[in-house]
Amino acid sequence: MGKFTKDKRVQRNSSYSKQDIYYRKAKEDQFRARSAYKLLQIDDSFQIFRQVERAIDLCAAPGSWSQVLVKKLTEKNYLPSESCRIVSVDLQEMAPLDHVTQIQGDITKKTTVDEILKKFNYQRADIIVCDGAPDVTGFHDIDYYIQSQLIVAALNICLMTLRDNGIFVAKIFKGSDIKLLYSQFKLFFNQVYFMKPKSSRASSVEYFIICLQYTPKISTLNFHLYTFLKEIEQAEKQKQQEIIDQETEKEQSKYYKFITCGDLSGFDEN
């Protein structure tokens, strides 16, 4: 019964996608996913590609945002080029794209940052985009938390690879602490905006944060933001320590038990 219900749901979602205008348009324009139009519509509003020569696409698979980057840099006559202009990063292996240098890596790792810089011959990027999202659990608080930690990891890469006055665009989930997110990004960017493109489904909780003019108001020298992996590892260690402490306390309690019997009248008064 469960399998039948699941198959029906998949069939219904597939049918819904085929009726979607952006799904059909993506097929016509040969984009790998309808999400390409979200980035194009963000550009229509903010002209984010106006001064871009080098770009980084984080959580890039299946590659639709990288395709948009290729389109925009080709229009500006920066592609084809002998030097690396676009670097895409994802944990998954992605089908090759012309003019895109791919890194299969983890955006929470320092080694990934080093590899990005090496591909750019240690020049910094003009724009960093990130359309990454966790596998949705259905529990909004958990999904929102994991998504926010992805943003932290992406911002960490910005600190080490984005040039002054550079641009950062990323997916976020709408939540109650959006004002806090705004104030935090204002420490690094002069202008911060939130936008929901027309191509984003109305039922989706996704929004996009657009950060312009990267100008850190705090020193980023030898400064790195935490990533959610470290936090999870710390929580796991703490949980294991609590279990050990409980077992130790239980073991020691065996020796603290006293057995008493009788009363004071039982003692010899002499």
Side-chain angles (χ1 to χ4, degrees):
M1 181 67 180
K3 183 178 184 300
F4 175 78
T5 304
K6 182 179 177 183
D7 289 346
K8 279 285 188 182
R9 187 170 62 249
V10 169
Q11 186 178 8
R12 185 166 60 250
N13 289 342
S14 176
S15 175
Y16 175 82
S17 294
K18 289 176 181 177
Q19 292 173 5
D20 182 81
I21 184 173
Y22 290 105
Y23 174 87
R24 298 199 307 271
K25 190 168 173 56
K27 293 291 183 185
E28 293 170 6
D29 294 342
Q30 298 185 330
F31 284 124
R32 293 181 177 181
R34 68 190 298 286
S35 56
Y37 299 103
K38 299 172 188 176
L39 189 57
L40 288 169
Q41 287 166 2
I42 290 170
D43 181 49
D44 288 341
S45 297
F46 295 96
Q47 290 78 51
I48 57 176
F49 298 114
R50 189 168 44 194
Q51 296 179 332
V52 170
E53 295 183 32
R54 284 177 295 277
I56 300 172
D57 184 9
L58 303 176
C59 305
S64 61
W65 278 27
S66 290
Q67 287 179 297
V68 172
L69 294 174
V70 170
K71 171 182 168 63
K72 291 297 179 179
L73 267 65
T74 300
E75 288 173 357
K76 295 166 69 67
N77 296 319
Y78 289 126
L79 292 176
S81 172
E82 292 182 4
S83 59
C84 176
R85 296 285 188 179
I86 301 169
V87 171
S88 67
V89 184
D90 202 285
L91 277 172
Q92 303 177 37
E93 188 175 1
M94 195 171 81
L97 275 172
D98 289 341
H99 315 303
V100 176
T101 301
Q102 296 187 30
I103 296 174
Q104 190 172 353
D106 187 341
I107 66 171
T108 69
K109 301 291 186 183
K110 178 67 165 57
T111 51
T112 302
V113 174
D114 295 337
E115 199 169 349
I116 290 171
L117 289 171
K118 189 176 180 182
K119 299 293 186 187
F120 281 143
N121 198 24
Y122 299 97
Q123 294 179 296
R124 293 199 166 213
D126 303 300
I127 187 171
I128 296 176
V129 297
C130 178
D131 191 30
D135 293 331
V136 176
T137 65
F139 296 98
H140 179 70
D141 288 345
I142 294 174
D143 295 336
Y144 182 82
Y145 172 76
I146 298 175
Q147 177 65 18
S148 66
Q149 299 313 306
L150 273 178
I151 295 294
V152 170
L155 179 57
N156 204 23
I157 288 186
C158 285
L159 301 186
M160 293 175 275
T161 63
L162 188 64
R163 68 162 172 82
D164 288 345
N165 289 314
I167 295 170
F168 175 62
V169 176
K171 178 188 289 183
I172 63 168
F173 288 167
K174 187 180 180 182
S176 58
D177 59 348
I178 201 163
K179 289 183 179 178
L180 176 61
L181 190 65
Y182 174 84
S183 64
Q184 289 174 332
F185 273 88
K186 283 290 285 183
L187 292 172
F188 303 97
F189 295 87
N190 283 343
Q191 299 179 47
V192 178
Y193 304 94
F194 297 96
M195 176 182 175
K196 188 174 180 68
K198 290 180 181 178
S199 52
S200 179
R201 292 190 177 102
S203 59
S204 172
V205 295
E206 72 174 9
Y207 273 69
F208 292 86
I209 186 168
I210 297 96
C211 305
L212 310 177
Q213 298 176 3
Y214 175 61
T215 311
K217 297 173 181 62
I218 57 176
S219 174
T220 57
L221 186 64
N222 297 322
F223 171 77
H224 304 298
L225 298 168
Y226 73 92
T227 64
F228 67 95
L229 288 182
K230 290 181 182 177
E231 190 169 85
I232 288 174
E233 287 169 0
Q234 264 185 346
E236 197 61 39
K237 284 179 183 178
Q238 186 176 352
K239 190 185 293 183
Q240 289 173 358
Q241 188 60 47
E242 287 174 356
I243 293 171
I244 293 170
D245 291 343
Q246 287 172 3
E247 291 295 326
T248 303
E249 187 178 347
K250 193 183 295 182
E251 189 67 27
Q252 289 177 343
S253 68
K254 294 178 182 177
Y255 303 100
Y256 298 149
K257 293 179 180 178
F258 294 89
I259 299 175
T260 61
C261 62
D263 56 31
L264 291 176
S265 65
F267 287 92
D268 187 351
E269 292 180 358
N270 297 325

